[in-house]
Amino acid sequence: MSRKREMLTGNAAAAWGVRLAEVDYIPAYPITPQTEIIETLAKWIDDGEMDARFATLDSEHSMITAAGAASATGVRTFAATSSQGLLYGFEMLYAVAGWRVPLVMVNVSRALSAPITLEPDHNDILAARDTGFLQFHCETCQEALDSILIAYRLAEDERVLLPIFVNMDGFHLSFTREPVEVYTREEATKFLPPYQPDHAFFRASRPMAQGVAVLGGSHYSYFKYQMHLASLNAITVYKEVAREFGDIAGRYYSTIEEFMMDDAEYVLVMTNSFSTLGKAAVKHARENRIKAGLLRLRLLRPFPEDDILESLKGRKGVAVLDQNISIGKGGILYAEIASILYNEKNRPLLISFIGGLGGKNISPEEFEYVFNQMIEACAVGKVIAPRLLYTEAEWKGIEKLKQMAGKRENSEQQKN
């Protein structure tokens, strides 16, 4: 049997990744926009096309608890969530990571309340960046499928043994159909053999204690730092695993992706599906003789510092386009990129833009504005203040809605 090529949504592609991984247990709780993943898996199991145990839980907190506990018995486990659901189960993320079990979860990003919305940005998944879960961020439906297979190999490696999030944008990827190659069972098993746990498993003949209390800071510090070291190990292991995957699948995934970066002087730094818009903007800028490029961050935890530094070496300007906002600070990825560039003698000029919050479109004109601002700032050697990408038409739309609601007109100070 050969590979098949299908038009799949991001959610369906993720479900195929789980099916090919031959997962044993799937605790589930629905939340938009990830529900299609667990619906697809439930149907396959009910139809006898997939051999796994499916259980519906009463909340995301229960679901993540069940997933972590099942993973601790030595079975390959999968779970999916999104947005408020991820936050509802947040307490258990730290516990599962501390148990050092190789759970793989998909998070389909959706902006956080309030105000409530169904469209994506990355404040949900980035809130989990310090939990101990590693994070892959996907641009395409194919990447969603592939990342799940790679994630299990990485999470189950004895040099890592940490849970992993595979993240994709709600609606912009979860419900977008793209051509996706679905691997054969033989190809998938060759890359990801059945799970043979050596660290955490259930055997009546070999009792073990897990999740025990450690009173006294020295023991706690030891275990937490071991998690940190394991996360750093994951960069090396990831490159090994991704290379093996590429040799079988024909697709190679680095910790970062460089787009038209060979001679780029002005670089956009982005993540996830909006990077596709950024790539189109880079092509347009090249047509206007601007030496533009794009660096897409695929791994956000661990943060591939050396790869990012090497990629940004010698560039004139870097604009980090955050699809998130840390209230009271600004763009989260801007701060992370700034932290690794700080000690570089010949670092590029670094500018912060925030765009795409709540799924807000980033237009070609806004990308053109970003490049123009970056070029002007580099010309005078002065960093400009962080900017929120927001068009005049969007501002007028808000003004109109406020007038309809009987609110006072905005002042120029509010506008600025």
Side-chain angles (χ1 to χ4, degrees), residues 360-370 389-391 394:
K360 190 192 97 65
N361 184 44
I362 304 176
S363 65
E365 291 76 18
E366 287 172 292
F367 279 110
E368 191 173 337
Y369 171 80
V370 169
L389 296 178
Y390 207 71
T391 66
E394 288 165 340

Side-chain angles (χ1 to χ4, degrees), residues 20-246:
L20 290 172
E22 297 194 272
V23 165
D24 301 297
Y25 181 59
I26 305 167
Y29 189 80
I31 181 171
T32 301
Q34 72 81 20
T35 306
E36 184 189 12
I37 299 175
I38 59 172
E39 285 178 341
T40 303
L41 293 169
K43 184 177 187 308
W44 284 338
I45 293 169
D46 191 52
D47 292 345
E49 298 180 61
M50 182 175 171
D51 185 17
R53 175 75 70 178
F54 186 95
T56 304
L57 279 296
D58 63 355
S59 71
E60 287 88 352
H61 191 284
S62 300
M63 178 195 72
I64 297 173
T65 304
S71 193
T73 69
V75 300
R76 190 171 281 162
T77 306
F78 171 79
T81 191
S82 175
S83 189
Q84 303 298 130
L86 173 64
L87 266 59
Y88 189 44
F90 215 79
E91 177 189 7
M92 289 310 300
L93 298 182
Y94 285 89
V96 172
W99 297 342
R100 302 292 302 273
V101 294
L103 169 66
V104 172
M105 287 182 66
V106 165
N107 182 71
V108 184
S109 272
R110 192 183 100 191
L112 298 170
S113 296
I116 192 167
T117 183
L118 298 179
E119 297 188 71
D121 63 36
H122 304 142
N123 270 95
D124 58 352
I125 189 66
L126 292 181
R129 68 189 187 278
D130 298 329
T131 60
F133 274 64
L134 310 186
Q135 291 194 11
F136 298 176
H137 288 244
C138 303
E139 180 185 1
T140 66
C141 297
Q142 183 73 60
E143 193 175 341
L145 187 160
D146 296 349
S147 294
I148 288 172
L149 296 174
I150 294 172
Y152 277 110
R153 270 290 303 274
L154 181 62
E156 293 170 3
D157 192 290
E158 290 184 21
R159 294 167 290 178
V160 179
L161 288 174
L162 285 168
I164 297 179
F165 274 120
V166 175
N167 191 71
M168 63 173 159
D169 286 336
F171 289 83
H172 289 250
L173 198 60
S174 65
F175 300 136
T176 295
R177 291 184 186 275
E178 296 176 342
V180 176
E181 273 197 334
V182 179
Y183 307 107
T184 65
R185 169 65 57 207
E186 292 72 24
E187 288 176 315
T189 304
K190 182 179 179 182
F191 173 72
L192 183 67
Y195 180 36
Q196 300 293 333
D198 290 324
H199 165 65
F201 53 84
F202 179 78
R203 299 281 189 282
S205 59
R206 187 180 168 186
M208 69 172 70
Q210 297 182 34
V212 297
V214 285
L215 302 179
S218 65
H219 295 98
Y220 184 84
S221 300
Y222 169 80
F223 285 112
K224 283 296 179 183
Y225 201 66
Q226 289 298 309
M227 292 171 64
H228 176 63
L229 295 177
S231 180
L232 297 182
N233 282 343
I235 292 179
T236 300
V237 180
Y238 173 85
K239 292 178 179 179
E240 295 175 8
V241 169
R243 188 163 49 247
E244 283 186 46
F245 179 82

Side-chain angles (χ1 to χ4, degrees), residues 268 276-286 292 363-364 367-368 371:
L268 294 178
T276 304
L277 299 175
K279 290 175 180 176
V282 166
K283 286 183 178 178
H284 182 70
R286 287 274 176 174
S363 65
F367 279 110
E368 191 173 337
F371 277 117

